[in-house]
């Protein structure tokens, strides 16, 4: 008997063209390779979630769930092995005993960390700082995704909403930017902070001249 292959290795062979759509009313045909991928993925999920039978109590429901997950992967535009790997890693960190919905798992695949970006909390803190009026023209952004999420969330709203509501709004827009990256879209660059004006040479002569000018101004005002 062959040793089972790791889920990550099998996911590399996921072919979107072979993923069935649940909207098709015809009998669904899944090629052997894709079937192996999804079966191994679900075996891994069963190992991570002791209460998985709450979601898939019968074989019929389990088979239907596998088709639903395949269709959700296709709809979400998941194309990279790293995304699936990250979803599995996030599942391994999940403390729930109950299996996630396909939508939740897909959101894990698009989590910012999968693209080397700051997590949502750190990105939100930067958004709050950079959207303050005092930072206009002087802020730097960790990644264009953080900037575009801030714009989409609304700079005014981020500054005035309660932080729990503001974070929820920002997180949604941030995830949308991550989904664009996952689909291979290129985000336009974020603005570059203006460089400070050159103050000129600093020498004792310059300092004495400035002091003399200040004294002259003060004396003239008396």
């Amino acid at each position: 008997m062959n040793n089972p292959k790791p889920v990550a290795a099998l996911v590399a062979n996921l072919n979107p063209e072979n993923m069935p759509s649940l909207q098709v009313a015809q009998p669904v045909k899944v090629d052997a390779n894709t079937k192996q991928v999804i079966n191994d993925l679900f075996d891994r999920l069963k190992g991570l979630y002791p209460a998985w039978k709450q979601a898939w109590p019968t074989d019929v429901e389990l088979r239907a769930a596998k088709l639903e997950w395949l269709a959700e992967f296709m709809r979400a535009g998941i194309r990279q092995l790293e995304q699936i790997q990250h979803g599995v890693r996030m599942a391994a960190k999940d403390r729930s005993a109950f299996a996630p919905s396909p939508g939740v798992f897909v959101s894990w695949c698009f989590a910012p960390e999968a693209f080397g970006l700051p997590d949502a909390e750190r990105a939100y803190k930067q958004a709050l700082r950079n959207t303050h009026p005092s930072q206009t023209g002087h802020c730097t952004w960790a990644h264009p995704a953080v900037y575009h999420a801030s714009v989409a969330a609304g700079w005014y709203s981020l500054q005035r909403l309660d932080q729990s509501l503001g974070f929820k709004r920002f997180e949604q827009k941030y995830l949308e930017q991550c989904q664009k990256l996952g689909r291979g879209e290129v985000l336009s660059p974020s603005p570059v902070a203006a460089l400070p004006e050159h103050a000129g040479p600093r020498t004792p002569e310059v300092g004495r001249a400035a002091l003399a000018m200040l004294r002259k101004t003060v004396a003239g005002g008396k």
Side-chain angles (χ1 to χ4, degrees):
M1 180 180 297
N2 295 333
N3 293 329
K5 298 180 180 179
V7 173
L10 292 172
V11 169
N13 296 318
L14 264 178
N15 185 352
E17 295 181 355
N18 295 326
M19 292 182 179
S21 173
L22 296 182
Q23 298 175 354
V24 180
Q26 301 174 354
V28 176
K29 294 183 180 180
V30 182
D31 67 275
N33 185 63
T34 301
K35 184 177 181 180
Q36 186 180 19
V37 170
I38 200 66
N39 283 343
D40 278 62
L41 178 58
F42 268 67
D43 285 345
R44 180 68 183 275
L45 292 173
K46 289 178 184 179
L48 293 172
Y49 296 99
W52 62 269
K53 280 197 173 183
Q54 293 291 327
W56 316 308
T58 68
D59 289 343
V60 172
E61 289 170 303
L62 182 61
R63 287 194 295 270
K66 291 177 180 180
L67 294 177
E68 182 183 2
W69 280 58
L70 283 171
E72 189 66 25
F73 286 165
M74 182 178 67
R75 286 192 293 266
I78 293 178
R79 298 291 184 269
Q80 299 177 13
L81 169 62
E82 290 77 10
Q83 292 172 261
I84 302 294
Q85 288 176 325
H86 191 69
V88 173
R89 286 195 296 269
M90 293 289 285
K93 295 179 181 179
D94 186 20
R95 296 184 179 181
S96 174
F98 301 92
S101 67
V104 169
F105 186 84
V106 165
S107 72
W108 290 342
C109 295
F110 285 109
E113 298 91 329
F115 304 96
L117 305 182
D119 60 34
E121 185 175 347
R122 286 190 296 146
Y124 174 63
K125 289 180 180 178
Q126 184 178 92
L128 280 183
R129 182 176 64 251
N130 287 359
T131 56
H132 192 276
S134 65
Q135 294 298 310
T136 302
H138 302 289
C139 56
T140 57
W141 298 89
H143 190 276
V146 182
Y147 168 74
H148 290 294
S150 301
V151 172
W155 291 26
Y156 183 89
S157 297
L158 289 176
Q159 289 297 318
R160 285 159 179 78
L161 283 175
D162 177 81
Q163 286 203 6
S164 61
L165 295 176
F167 174 74
K168 185 176 181 180
R169 179 176 176 82
F170 173 82
E171 185 179 33
Q172 177 187 1
K173 302 302 180 182
Y174 192 35
L175 178 59
E176 290 175 2
Q177 299 303 316
C178 292
Q179 290 173 335
K180 290 181 180 180
L181 293 174
R183 292 193 294 267
E185 296 184 31
V186 178
L187 304 181
S188 57
S190 52
V192 178
L195 295 175
E197 294 183 4
H198 184 58
R202 297 182 179 181
T203 64
E205 290 76 13
V206 172
R208 285 193 290 269
L211 182 59
M213 181 65 70
L214 177 60
R215 287 173 176 168
K216 183 178 180 180
T217 301
V218 173
K222 291 183 178 179

